[in-house]
Amino acid sequence: MPDEHRLEEKFLSQEAERRISEKLDEVEQIEIDVQTDLLKIAQGQADGVSVAGQGLVIQEGIRVQEIKLQTDSIAINPFSALFGQIELSEPVNAIARMILTEVDINRALASDFVRSQMQNLELNVDGEIVSFEPEEIQVFLPGDGKVEFRGKVLLKEIGNTRPLAYTAIARPRTHSQPAMLESFNCTEGGGISIELITAFMRKAKELMDIPYFEWEDITFSIKDIEVEIGSLILLLETQVRQIPSSTTVLSP
C-alpha cells in the first residue's frame, strides 16, 4: 500500500511541476511534493504541498534565485485531482522562504514591468502635491543588514521640474526592529527641502506598514528580511486561494 500511495503522490507532484513550469518564463529546477494518498484524494484532502525551486523567472526581468514553500493541510477538488490537477476548494496558508540576488533585484528594477509601476509617485508636501518619476535605481547589498540605494529621479514641483540624484543607506524592517534610514545624500540637483524629506519619509512608512500584498490568487506578508552580502532573504506568510492553471497569466 505505501508504494501505491507514493505512486499517487508522484503522479500529482509531477503534474503540478509541469503546470507550474509552463507558467514560468524560465526555470532551472523545481520540485513539488504533494503529500496525499488515494483515500485522501477521494475525500478531497491532502496533508500539504511543498515547493522547492531555483532560478525561477516569473515574468520578464523578474527572477527568484531560490524559493522554498510549505503549505498547511489543504482541501482539494477530488475529481480534478484524479486527473492530475490540484484545484483548491478552500484557501490554504503557507510559509515561504525566498532568496533574491543583488543582480536579480537590479534586473527587475530595470524591467519595463517594474518601471511601469513606479511612474509619477505623488507626495503631499504641506498640502501641495509633488510627484517624482524614478529614472534609474540600483540596489547594493553589502551585508551587515544594510541596503544601499543609488538612483536618479525627475522631481516635479509646482512650476519646476528638475533631475535629482541620490544615494541612501537603509536597514529594512525585521521581526525585531523597525526600518531605519542611516543616511541620505543628494549627489546632483541642488538638494531637497526638509518638508519634502518629511513627506517622503511619511510615504515610505505608509508603504512599509501595508499589512499584506496581493498577486493573482496569492496574498502575502513579509515577516522578516535578512540582508547578506549580495543577496536578500525574505520570510513570507502567504494565503493561496488557487494554484495557477496552465492558462492563467501571472500579473500583479
Side-chain angles (χ1 to χ4, degrees):
M1 290 297 291
D3 290 340
E4 292 178 9
H5 293 171
R6 192 55 191 163
L7 182 62
E8 292 143 14
E9 289 183 348
K10 284 183 177 179
F11 171 70
L12 276 177
S13 300
Q14 289 172 356
E15 183 63 15
E17 289 173 11
R18 183 186 68 81
R19 289 177 177 271
I20 296 297
S21 295
E22 288 178 353
K23 298 295 303 143
L24 301 170
D25 288 352
E26 296 178 26
V27 56
E28 292 178 9
Q29 180 180 350
I30 186 166
E31 294 182 3
I32 298 177
D33 182 19
V34 182
Q35 296 120 34
T36 189
D37 58 42
L38 188 57
L39 177 59
K40 290 176 181 175
I41 291 174
Q43 295 173 339
Q45 299 174 355
D47 293 330
V49 177
S50 61
V51 179
Q54 291 185 338
L56 311 181
V57 179
I58 301 172
Q59 197 162 323
E60 184 177 354
I62 301 178
R63 180 181 183 275
V64 176
Q65 173 63 28
E66 182 179 322
I67 184 170
K68 293 183 178 179
L69 179 146
Q70 175 66 54
T71 74
D72 294 339
S73 59
I74 63 177
I76 57 177
N77 183 322
F79 182 77
S80 299
L82 290 172
F83 288 91
Q85 181 175 347
I86 303 173
E87 187 177 294
L88 300 182
S89 300
E90 298 176 2
V92 60
N93 297 320
I95 297 293
R97 182 178 184 271
M98 184 182 300
I99 299 178
L100 306 172
T101 68
E102 182 179 286
V103 172
D104 291 337
I105 293 171
N106 286 313
R107 184 181 294 121
L109 290 171
S111 70
D112 292 338
F113 169 73
V114 172
R115 290 177 67 87
S116 69
Q117 305 299 310
M118 298 173 62
Q119 299 300 309
N120 294 319
L121 302 175
E122 293 186 343
L123 299 175
N124 188 323
V125 183
D126 292 341
E128 297 181 354
I129 300 300
V130 175
S131 65
F132 61 97
E133 182 177 332
E135 293 188 320
E136 178 184 322
I137 182 170
Q138 285 185 296
V139 169
F140 300 89
L141 304 173
D144 193 28
K146 298 180 181 181
V147 181
E148 181 180 351
F149 301 89
R150 300 177 194 171
K152 293 181 180 180
V153 300
L154 195 61
L155 193 62
K156 301 176 181 178
E157 301 171 286
I158 296 178
N160 183 32
T161 298
R162 60 191 176 95
L164 179 74
Y166 67 90
T167 63
I169 296 178
R171 290 181 180 270
R173 175 175 58 87
T174 69
H175 70 281
S176 60
Q177 69 175 28
M180 303 284 287
L181 180 65
E182 289 198 353
S183 66
F184 182 90
N185 297 299
C186 293
T187 57
E188 179 186 326
I192 56 178
S193 67
I194 293 176
E195 291 79 9
L196 184 56
I197 292 177
T198 301
F200 177 78
M201 296 302 296
R202 187 163 53 243
K203 184 69 172 180
K205 185 178 186 302
E206 177 185 318
L207 293 173
M208 287 185 291
D209 287 342
I210 293 175
Y212 61 87
F213 303 89
E214 291 193 359
W215 192 345
E216 277 282 311
D217 288 318
I218 300 174
T219 301
F220 65 91
S221 59
I222 300 174
K223 292 305 178 183
D224 199 14
I225 302 176
E226 184 178 345
V227 183
E228 295 185 348
I229 298 175
S231 64
L232 198 66
I233 303 172
L234 306 177
L235 182 64
L236 310 173
E237 284 187 358
T238 71
Q239 185 182 75
V240 182
R241 293 185 291 275
Q242 197 53 258
I243 295 175
S245 70
S246 59
T247 57
T248 302
V249 178
L250 287 175
S251 60

